[in-house]
Amino acid sequence: MAATKSNCLLAQGDALAPSIARAAEVIRAGGTVAVPTETVYGLAARADSDSAVAAIYRAKGRPDFNPLIVHVADLAQAARLAHIDTAARALATSFWPGPLTLVLPRRADAGLSAAVSAGLPTLALRVPAHPVIRALIAATGLPLAAPSANRSGAVSPTSAQHVVASLGDRVDLVLDGGDCASGIESTIVAVRQGGGWTTLRPGPITRAEIAALLGAAHEVRAGEAIEAPGQLTSHYAPGKPLRLNAPAPAADHFMIGFGAVPGDTTLSAAGDLAEAAARLYGCLHAGAASSKPRIAVAPVPDEGIGEAINDRLRRAAA
Ligand code: AMP
Ligand code: MG
């Protein structure tokens, strides 16, 4: 079902090209466009403009200490914005385009708004795989800052309807490209000088995949300072009490099942973790919209992408 808002355009099939052309005009003029990526919907604006980046923070009600991910077409465009060392190049070559964000030293001549980095000397960069955001980057020729397209602290959007429900008229244009395939935000890895690496946020690219490339021995634990506010304890909040690891449905709870544990809906009846990641936010949105006062979720194994699912669930419950 397409979202029925005047500022929402279909961005599939024959509608793709004209919708991208319209969206590129909005971006060039410094406006905001909600756009599907393979992870979740992003709220995009040109990353080289202070006022465009400010419009993202304003629309989301996002605290200004929480920096944004900048989306680019390829490694060459990334290299004009940040310093890419051997380890970063290895990750980019293996996982771009895809759901991996690299936090790298920002180039002094990057020409980006300082606000995208929230004052940090680093820059978070990603080359997305989804055809709609790729078409928008190509049409504008600009690096696009794009956090998730929801009110700050709320559940991330995996459909255009979620965006319209959360941001409505606070966004200039919404591109409806259907449901997001991955459904969970990108893995964020900070690449340190000297080959060390730190996972700032677990995601679809697993720690094991990163370790296979850079070496498990080079993993550095996250420091005391908050480097990725996605690490804040409370995030992704559905607006109702959320009970984790529920072994069975209980009265008063909207039950989200997994595997053999049934529910009002399920992350994956087959117990498939990739399917569970893709359905996670949709299930939380459904729980938030239901008449039941509480939400409960069945146990999800903490392996592979299950680590990212449990990370999001813990923060949603906090
Ligand atoms: P969102 O796109 O809303 O999922 O949020 C982007 C995530 O990237 C947040 O958790 C940010 O804290 C993180 N991030 C963006 N830039 C940086 C940076 N320079 N250093 C560390 N984390 C960053
Ligand atoms: Mg977010």
Side-chain angles (χ1 to χ4, degrees):
M1 186 188 73
T4 53
K5 266 306 262 203
S6 55
N7 65 346
C8 187
L9 295 180
L10 195 63
Q12 289 167 313
D14 289 347
L16 180 62
S19 294
I20 291 293
R22 173 83 194 100
E25 277 172 29
V26 173
I27 292 284
R28 273 190 225 102
T32 54
V33 174
V35 55
T37 81
E38 72 274 32
T39 59
V40 303
Y41 272 68
L43 183 61
R46 55 188 301 165
D48 63 346
S49 157
D50 286 333
S51 62
V53 170
I56 293 179
Y57 281 95
R58 206 164 45 238
K60 283 183 60 96
R62 184 172 175 111
D64 62 7
F65 59 78
N66 191 350
L68 308 177
I69 296 171
V70 173
H71 296 72
V72 293
D74 52 28
L75 182 56
Q77 194 180 10
R80 291 198 286 277
L81 305 176
H83 296 285
I84 315 272
D85 68 3
T86 315
R89 186 170 299 275
L91 289 173
T93 306
S94 289
F95 298 115
W96 283 355
L100 177 70
T101 296
L102 298 179
V103 171
L104 303 167
R106 176 177 161 133
R107 291 182 69 110
D109 60 354
L112 299 178
S113 164
V116 290
S117 295
L120 297 169
T122 50
L123 183 63
L125 282 169
R126 178 163 107 81
V127 174
H130 195 286
V132 175
I133 186 165
R134 291 190 64 77
L136 189 58
I137 294 168
T140 58
L142 291 165
L144 300 181
S148 53
N150 53 273
R151 297 288 189 108
S152 184
V155 178
S156 298
T158 54
S159 71
Q161 289 83 344
H162 294 158
V163 177
V164 170
S166 181
L167 293 178
D169 297 334
R170 298 172 144 246
V171 48
D172 294 323
L173 191 66
V174 180
L175 294 178
D176 183 352
D179 290 349
C180 300
S182 182
I184 213 161
E185 297 86 348
S186 60
T187 305
I188 303 181
V189 173
V191 179
R192 315 291 188 189
Q193 273 183 347
W197 58 279
T198 304
T199 303
L200 298 180
R201 177 173 74 186
I205 307 289
T206 62
R207 166 181 268 133
E209 289 175 283
I210 308 288
L213 214 61
L214 300 189
H218 295 293
E219 183 173 5
V220 183
R221 284 177 54 93
E224 294 289 287
I226 289 178
E227 288 190 45
Q231 297 170 303
L232 291 174
T233 319
S234 175
H235 209 78
Y236 317 110
K240 289 181 183 177
L242 174 65
R243 187 175 149 224
L244 306 182
N245 297 310
D252 271 6
H253 285 74
F254 178 89
M255 180 70 191
I256 301 174
F258 178 81
V261 180
D264 297 290
T265 184
T266 180
L267 291 168
S268 169
D272 179 79
L273 287 171
E275 182 185 20
R279 288 183 46 77
L280 175 65
Y281 292 130
C283 289
L284 288 175
H285 281 289
S290 85
S291 58
K292 308 241 177 94
R294 294 180 176 77
I295 306 172
V297 191
V300 176
D302 206 33
E303 62 206 33
I305 196 176
E307 199 188 332
I309 296 172
N310 283 312
D311 168 77
R312 304 304 191 275
L313 283 172
R314 274 193 303 276
R315 294 175 208 282

